[in-house]
Amino acid sequence: MEESSEGRNRGTPLACAACKLLRRRCMQDCLFAPYFPASELHKFTNVHKVFGASNVNKMLQDLPEDQRANTVSSLVYEANARLRDPVNGCVGEITALQRQLADKIAEVERLQVLLEAEKSNRSPSS
Amino acid sequence: MEESSEGRNRGTPLACAACKLLRRRCMQDCLFAPYFPASELHKFTNVHKVFGASNVNKMLQDLPEDQRANTVSSLVYEANARLRDPVNGCVGEITALQRQLADKIAEVERLQVLLEAEKSNRSPSS
């Protein structure tokens, strides 16, 4: 078998990060190759640790090609969050953001009340 | 072998959701049983679809027992989010919350400016 111009069909050094980690040949039609370049091995390593390569493969296969890059990017984000915080993962960020949002909503309401009070204080003299 | 009082060691109807789905015996020391009761099969099904049983098993094993319930609860949340939105998962919620938070921060700043203006409008007459 001839090596392709990209040198990916014989498990050469240009194999994608997934095929490198899983020690398999990286074929021309490799589902992972467009999203996990060899230079970013940690990206695939983390996603594989959290979701497992076969689950990620299934997820990508079930989606149209133009949605796969965004899917990979959200999977990488989630995997990194889970490795940073094994108990809460991404949900820790959601909880923190919900708390910050609730604080800001309360502050908006407080400021609106103050503003109304200022306006009505001013009106008798104007 | 005798059946236990809980009836879990012979893969009886009281097997946990994980052992039910994976068609294996649910032993007394089953790691999944405390968090995935048989009555909530969908919880384990979703977590298994997204993370894979063996990854979840590894994650729980690596954590002290008192952190496992919270871990399972965040994994279930993440899995449900991923099945609802296969492209963005939980990250879609994070992005939406970040946008709402940025809007509220801008609103707080706008109200603070208005309030200061009201106060300085009032001060010459007071």
Side-chain angles (χ1 to χ4, degrees):
Chain A
M1 185 168 52
E2 282 292 301
E3 197 168 305
S4 80
S5 56
E6 285 183 28
R8 283 210 289 107
N9 62 353
R10 292 178 81 181
T12 67
L14 285 172
C16 79
C19 294
K20 236 175 162 174
L21 193 85
L22 304 172
R23 292 166 182 271
R24 62 181 195 185
R25 272 207 228 169
C26 193
M27 308 300 278
Q28 278 296 323
D29 60 349
C30 171
L31 198 68
F32 293 124
Y35 316 108
F36 297 104
S39 56
E40 296 175 277
L41 194 63
H42 64 283
K43 257 175 69 172
F44 186 77
T45 308
N46 293 355
V47 158
H48 178 48
K49 259 188 210 158
V50 174
F51 297 97
S54 99
N55 275 359
V56 175
N57 187 70
K58 252 183 272 161
M59 289 186 213
L60 294 182
Q61 238 165 0
D62 288 349
L63 287 167
E65 220 174 307
D66 64 349
Q67 301 199 322
R68 290 180 188 166
N70 285 341
T71 306
V72 166
S73 134
S74 71
L75 288 170
V76 169
Y77 190 98
E78 264 187 69
N80 291 343
R82 178 65 58 184
L83 294 171
R84 232 178 8 247
D85 178 355
V87 176
N88 303 298
C90 256
V91 183
E93 284 181 56
I94 290 176
T95 311
L97 281 165
Q98 282 171 335
R99 204 176 303 129
Q100 288 171 55
L101 184 62
D103 285 353
K104 287 295 163 196
I105 289 171
E107 203 174 339
V108 164
E109 283 167 5
R110 191 184 60 86
L111 286 168
Q112 277 167 338
V113 169
L114 284 176
L115 191 64
E116 281 313 304
E118 277 297 327
K119 279 180 182 169
S120 56
N121 272 345
R122 189 161 59 90
S123 45
S125 64
S126 65
Chain B
M1 187 168 52
E2 281 294 299
E3 198 169 304
S4 81
S5 57
E6 287 183 27
R8 285 211 286 106
N9 63 352
R10 291 179 82 181
T12 66
L14 283 172
C16 79
C19 293
K20 235 175 162 177
L21 193 84
L22 304 172
R23 291 165 182 275
R24 62 181 197 187
R25 273 208 228 171
C26 192
M27 308 300 278
Q28 280 295 325
D29 60 350
C30 171
L31 197 69
F32 294 123
Y35 317 108
F36 297 103
S39 55
E40 296 175 276
L41 194 64
H42 64 283
K43 257 175 69 173
F44 186 77
T45 309
N46 293 354
V47 158
H48 178 48
K49 261 189 207 156
V50 173
F51 297 99
S54 99
N55 275 359
V56 175
N57 186 70
K58 253 184 270 160
M59 289 185 213
L60 293 182
Q61 238 165 0
D62 288 349
L63 287 167
E65 220 174 306
D66 64 348
Q67 301 199 323
R68 291 181 188 165
N70 285 341
T71 306
V72 166
S73 135
S74 72
L75 289 171
V76 169
Y77 190 98
E78 264 188 68
N80 290 343
R82 178 64 59 184
L83 294 172
R84 230 176 11 243
D85 178 355
V87 176
N88 303 298
C90 257
V91 183
E93 283 182 57
I94 290 177
T95 311
L97 282 165
Q98 282 171 334
R99 203 175 304 131
Q100 288 171 55
L101 184 62
D103 285 354
K104 287 295 164 196
I105 289 172
E107 203 175 340
V108 164
E109 283 167 6
R110 191 183 61 85
L111 286 168
Q112 278 167 337
V113 169
L114 283 175
L115 191 62
E116 281 314 303
E118 277 296 327
K119 279 180 183 170
S120 57
N121 271 346
R122 189 160 60 92
S123 43
S125 62
S126 63

